[in-house]
């Protein structure tokens, strides 16, 4: 009898193991696991995918497999622009993104964004303010001398006071070379920052809550903005001044450097001359389809089937990113790739999305995607059955479902 009980117990244990293995395998196939493959195939975690391939989003190896993308604050920290306030329990920097930034913290960021930190710390700068702590004097004095900031009075800076969205945007615009009073009004600074693609319509006169994460998002977007009266981007200036390396900027998706497609780090690249007569979007889309299926054929996979409804979703996302000046799988309303597909009435088990910006030809964008492991895994997924591509200007979206 005891032997029978032991056999029954062992059998039940084995059955549970088999069931758990089956559930895990099924979840992985459906893009719900925490594996790197699931991150690329899920579509809701594709912020990890559009990375090294485009230079316009996060580095794939730096994004969690579950689809949590690096925040703007995290990217700035990796670029050395945001140092944080101590460390978390796991040793990572405490970026304290949930609280409101102070005026002094804002100035430190602006000085770093303007490329002036080394000069500020090594120079002999002065300001009329008598309420500045010793550690902050180089930053505030430098910013004052460079007309990046003003005080609340002739002698007071009020650095401990929290800063408003419009005040912070004003500092950002000054770092880009714009002058308050001439180019914009400080209490309506978001009007100009929206126009140049830094704030995307997120802030206005009704904005009451402004956090360090908000400030980080604005700062990160400013890196891809042009300096006033120039075709040079702010990130290009900082790269020239040695604030951070170009390959780091590319890996973290800072943007399109000097209006040219961002090359892959470590991959030889030269500007494309471009065709005499650019093909229209439908031709580009079909060219991508052809090239993707060639790659799948090399890998021994079946060709993907074009689905016009899926392409319509891709076109809409490319157009939305271009018009509203953002570059992300998640739109300003928080909708993810799978959300947009479901809203269009599409039914699927597997979903993925690759995006790119700045490329002129189908060959260049597919080559870039194929040189990124996470993009490549989506393109060569055994679970993908249908494809839709949408091109709008220099914005590319590839949608896959199965």
């Amino acid at each position: 009898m005891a032997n029978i009980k032991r056999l029954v117990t062992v059998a039940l244990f084995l059955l549970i193991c088999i069931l758990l293995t089956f559930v895990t395998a099924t979840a992985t196939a459906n893009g719900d696991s925490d594996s790197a493959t699931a991150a690329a195939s899920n579509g809701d975690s594709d912020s990890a995918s559009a990375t090294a391939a485009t230079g316009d989003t996060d580095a794939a190896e730096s994004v969690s497999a579950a689809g949590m993308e690096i925040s703007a604050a995290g990217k700035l920290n990796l670029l050395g622009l945001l140092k944080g306030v101590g460390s978390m329990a796991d040793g990572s920097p405490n970026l304290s993104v949930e609280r409101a930034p102070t005026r002094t913290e804002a100035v430190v960021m602006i000085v770093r964004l303007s490329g002036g930190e080394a000069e500020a710390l090594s120079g002999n700068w002065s300001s009329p303010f008598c309420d500045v702590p010793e550690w902050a004097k180089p930053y505030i004095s430098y910013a004052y001398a460079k007309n990046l900031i003003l005080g609340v009075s002739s002698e007071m800076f009020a650095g401990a006071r929290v800063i408003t969205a419009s005040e912070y945007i004003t500092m950002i615009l000054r770092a880009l070379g714009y002058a308050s009073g001439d180019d914009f009004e400080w209490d309506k600074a978001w009007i100009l920052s929206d126009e140049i693609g830094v704030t995307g319509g997120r802030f206005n006169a009704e904005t009451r809550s402004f956090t360090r994460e908000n400030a980080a998002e604005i700062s990160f977007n400013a890196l891809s903005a042009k300096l006033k009266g120039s075709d040079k981007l702010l990130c290009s200036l900082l790269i020239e001044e040695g604030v951070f390396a170009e390959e780091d900027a590319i890996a973290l998706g800072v943007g399109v450097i000097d209006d040219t497609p961002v090359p892959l780090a470590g991959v030889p690249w030269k500007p494309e001359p471009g065709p005499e007569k650019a093909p229209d979007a439908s031709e580009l889309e079909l060219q991508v389809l052809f090239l993707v299926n060639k790659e799948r054929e090399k890998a021994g996979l079946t060709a993907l089937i074009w689905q016009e409804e899926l392409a319509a979703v891709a076109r809409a996302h490319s157009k939305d990113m271009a018009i509203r000046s953002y570059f992300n799988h998640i739109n300003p309303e928080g909708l993810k790739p799978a959300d947009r597909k479901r809203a269009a009435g599409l039914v699927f088990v597997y979903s993925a999305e690759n995006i790119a910006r700045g490329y002129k030809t189908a060959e260049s964008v597919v080559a870039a995607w194929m040189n990124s492991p996470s993009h490549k895994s989506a393109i060569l997924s055994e679970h993908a059955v249908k494809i839709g591509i949408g091109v709008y200007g220099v914005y590319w979206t590839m949608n896959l479902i199965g």
Side-chain angles (χ1 to χ4, degrees), residues 111 116-125 137-139 142-143:
V111 170
E117 183 172 36
E119 189 178 2
L121 295 176
S122 62
N124 185 23
W125 308 93
K137 283 183 178 178
Y139 294 96
Y142 174 87

Side-chain angles (χ1 to χ4, degrees), residues 200-244:
R202 295 186 57 192
F203 305 96
N204 53 49
E206 304 301 318
T207 301
R208 295 291 178 267
S209 174
F210 187 69
T211 65
R212 280 167 57 92
E213 183 61 44
N214 295 145
E217 290 166 355
I218 294 172
S219 302
F220 185 78
N221 291 342
L223 292 174
S224 297
K226 291 181 180 180
L227 301 172
K228 180 188 174 183
S230 170
D231 285 333
K232 178 176 287 187
L233 305 186
L234 178 58
C235 59
S236 298
L237 173 66
L238 297 182
I239 289 168
E240 289 176 3
E241 295 185 359
V243 176
F244 48 72

